[in-house]
Amino acid sequence: MAQLIADRRDVDFVLHEQFEVAELAKNDAFADFNRKTIDLIVTEARNLAIKEILPLQKISDSGCEFDAGKVRVPEAYHKVYKNYCDGQWLAMSDSPEWGGQGMPKAVGLAANEYFYGACNSFMLFHMLSHGAARLIESFGTQAQKDQVLKNMYSGKWSGTMLLTEPDAGSDVGALTTVAKRNPDGTYSITGAKIFISGGEQDMVENIIHPTLARIEGAPAGTRGISLFMVPKYRINADGSLGEFNDVVCTGIEHKMGLHGNSTCSLTLGGKGQCIGTLIGEENKGMAAMFQMMNEARQMVGLQGFANATASFMYALDYARQRIQTKHMTDPADAGPSAIIRHPDVRRQLMLMKSLVEGMRSLIYFNGMVQDRHHLSDNAEEKARLRDLEEVLTPIIKGYITDKAFEVCSHGVQVYGGYGYIEEYPVAQLLRDTRIFQIYEGTNGIQSIDLVGRKMGMKKGAAFMAFLEEIRKTIELARGIEAVRPLAENVEKLFNTYTETAAILGKAAGSDKVLDAFAFTHPFLEATGDLTMAWMLLWRAAVAAPKIGQKKKDDPFYQGQVITARFFINTQLPITAGRLASIQIMDGAAVAMEDANFGG
């Protein structure tokens, strides 16, 4: 039977052979999570995803219903949501103090790969709920934590993120939502927010909205923004629900994809009755919100990857079953062949496989970085790991979602005409995936973050931590004869990349700043290509020595080496050309006058 959503053998390879996640159980914090337990968790997640969440995917495409300020999700969501919450899947890697399971982040990501690959529309409700709860856990008062965390981590209540406004868009500093101090220490909130995923829904009793607003008299721009906890229903002293808090849904968007998640417009305080409490310090709201945004950006990368791996699994199965056209080298009287034998189809499947497997390794690696940070008691090591996560975040969000859309597009192409028909699953995956390149900061913003902030952060120390990890893998692979030529090719590209980074960084701090920032996205793409090569080389270095040890495992391990060979030898030359273009840094895009565009 064909696998659905993800290749379980590859999931196990990354967890147990590439990253040896079970070794974390040697630490008291993760002592309960040995290999047997980890495998059981992934198996149970896979079962829930395939048996219950995956059937929601097609249902979700019919969308949510809006009626007089209320949103109804597809009816089938309710039972699955209850089972998801009963399994305590929402807070897998969170503190048991607030109802979490305390498992390693990397293991939670493996489970989430199945959940999100099954139905992203359904899972998006939970993604923001978790991020909102983590935000309050980190920056909220004890009273706020006691009020909401157990209910949020259990899924009884949900959460959102209220940033975007009609006239502000990505320029958060231009927001106009106002917070007015009340004598009792609360704030009256008035304003309007748009594009709020899960801003109104009927699966939960209450919705907690972390909301950015400007206290009356605060400075303009982002330095005057504060963060508030604004519930849909007020919370009484005993934890019970109070009166409606004047947070009104005025409509939901009709979107290209993700129809099964309500994207809402909200009016706060239209009747002057919306009350919020301050989270963290006054005028420090953006700093706090960035924690949630960074988690969300990493999870958006997971969203894109999960759709990409699902599309690859569908395309691979279809290519093996679809019989069409005689193979080029078969005898003249031979019948038609399975399309997986045709060279161009194989090329597409190879590109899909290499990207999906590189993405999986990168996402799990980032989880391991967080796990190691959690376990470390060395301040210097903790800082290095946090810096590494900072650099990886725009790559995970920006590059992975760009390439996820490309993978899903190839999925449609492998299906041919049937791929363009909504009866088949790959069309919806393509539509659903397009938004991931836009929300939680467009991928152009991710590229600016990489070049304008992360490269120079801590005088370049954070970026150097990233480069050092790549060097480690190159050295590892150099010592393995079967993959040494691949290591040398990656090293060649790595050297060109570091030269280009220096040129771009210097230009960004000079009078060529506009030219430089016209090349940040190509640089993000080159960074991602190098990162994929790093991960695939690492995989090959782990797999190559195991070839011949167990005959049944040889096809998988050989596939790892061939996949790395494909990406490194066919895609990195393209990356080299992109780096050459960045070094030339022709300023045509900036020099172009508005009138020159025509129209």
Side-chain angles (χ1 to χ4, degrees), residues 30-85:
F30 296 134
D32 294 335
F33 298 96
N34 57 27
R35 175 158 186 170
K36 183 178 179 181
T37 302
I38 291 169
D39 288 345
L40 180 62
I41 290 167
V42 177
T43 296
E44 289 303 310
R46 182 176 182 271
N47 288 339
L48 178 63
I50 292 173
K51 293 177 181 178
E52 299 195 48
I53 301 177
L54 184 59
L56 300 180
Q57 174 72 346
K58 189 66 177 177
I59 294 168
S60 76
D61 217 24
S62 62
C64 299
E65 296 180 10
F66 173 75
D67 181 25
K70 302 296 182 183
V71 172
R72 289 188 295 274
V73 303
E75 182 60 33
Y77 277 24
H78 290 270
K79 179 183 176 182
V80 180
Y81 183 66
K82 181 180 184 303
N83 292 339
Y84 174 84
C85 292

Side-chain angles (χ1 to χ4, degrees), residues 7 74 119 217 220 236 304 324 576:
D7 183 339
C119 183
N236 296 323
Q324 181 177 299

Side-chain angles (χ1 to χ4, degrees), residues 203-518:
M203 292 187 292
V204 295
E205 296 178 359
N206 202 7
I207 304 174
I208 305 301
H209 302 288
T211 302
L212 290 181
R214 195 182 314 278
I215 298 172
E216 287 185 326
T222 55
R223 65 192 183 95
I225 294 177
S226 298
L227 179 63
F228 301 88
M229 188 177 84
V230 179
K232 175 182 175 181
Y233 292 100
R234 295 180 191 172
I235 306 166
N236 296 323
D238 63 358
S240 63
L241 296 185
E243 60 188 296
F244 181 65
N245 196 32
D246 199 11
V247 180
V248 178
C249 180
T250 56
I252 59 175
E253 304 296 340
H254 299 278
K255 302 167 294 186
M256 177 179 176
L258 290 185
H259 296 151
N261 187 273
S262 52
T263 302
C264 303
S265 302
L266 299 177
T267 296
L268 295 83
K271 295 181 178 180
Q273 300 298 315
C274 181
I275 301 298
T277 54
L278 184 68
I279 300 175
E281 299 179 45
E282 289 187 12
N283 303 332
K284 299 288 183 66
M286 280 303 296
M289 185 60 89
F290 262 115
Q291 174 187 286
M292 184 174 179
M293 290 173 67
N294 282 336
E295 175 180 327
R297 286 169 175 177
Q298 293 172 21
M299 290 303 290
V300 172
L302 178 84
Q303 286 185 295
F305 156 64
N307 274 7
T309 183
S311 186
F312 173 56
M313 288 288 98
Y314 282 126
L316 181 61
D317 182 54
Y318 184 81
R320 285 170 168 159
Q321 295 187 40
R322 174 64 166 156
I323 308 299
Q324 181 177 299
T325 309
K326 183 182 78 68
H327 188 264
M328 294 170 66
T329 60
D330 281 350
D333 59 350
S337 167
I339 64 172
I340 195 172
R341 295 186 63 206
H342 300 320
D344 189 60
V345 174
R346 294 180 82 82
R347 174 192 62 82
Q348 291 182 83
L349 290 172
M350 280 295 291
L351 184 56
M352 295 172 80
K353 174 177 163 61
S354 62
L355 286 168
V356 161
E357 292 183 356
M359 292 174 191
R360 177 175 291 119
S361 288
L362 175 58
I363 287 172
Y364 290 16
F365 175 75
N366 189 54
M368 285 292 289
V369 168
Q370 294 175 54
D371 290 330
R372 284 156 50 197
H373 178 274
H374 174 69
L375 294 173
S376 178
D377 56 6
N378 181 289
E380 185 176 332
E381 175 67 2
K382 288 178 81 74
R384 188 188 73 82
L385 291 167
R386 183 63 74 209
D387 291 346
L388 181 57
E389 182 188 350
E390 287 273 4
V391 176
L392 293 176
T393 297
I395 305 171
I396 290 170
K397 196 286 178 185
Y399 179 85
I400 285 183
T401 59
D402 279 344
K403 293 303 179 182
F405 186 72
E406 182 179 326
V407 168
C408 290
S409 181
H410 282 300
V412 171
Q413 193 72 17
V414 170
Y415 270 72
Y418 290 115
Y420 199 64
I421 295 172
E422 295 291 350
E423 179 183 348
Y424 294 86
V426 288
Q428 184 182 347
L429 287 170
L430 180 66
R431 288 188 287 105
D432 286 351
T433 302
R434 187 59 183 88
I435 187 60
F436 304 145
Q437 296 165 277
I438 299 172
Y439 66 21
E440 300 306 336
T442 66
N443 287 355
I445 289 174
Q446 303 309 310
S447 73
I448 293 169
D449 179 50
L450 176 64
V451 174
R453 180 166 173 260
K454 302 300 172 58
M455 276 176 54
M457 194 169 73
K458 294 187 177 179
K459 298 182 179 179
F463 193 62
M464 289 304 297
F466 165 68
L467 297 178
E468 184 56 35
E469 291 293 326
I470 301 175
R471 284 195 189 96
K472 287 180 186 177
T473 299
I474 293 172
E475 288 307 308
L476 169 69
R478 272 183 171 281
I480 300 169
E481 184 177 357
V483 296
R484 187 174 299 131
L486 300 180
E488 291 170 351
N489 285 349
V490 173
E491 184 174 39
K492 181 179 178 181
L493 191 281
F494 177 85
N495 291 336
T496 305
Y497 173 84
T498 55
E499 292 170 6
T500 307
I503 292 169
L504 185 62
K506 183 177 180 180
S510 73
D511 58 3
K512 292 192 67 174
V513 59
L514 295 181
D515 292 345
F517 277 86

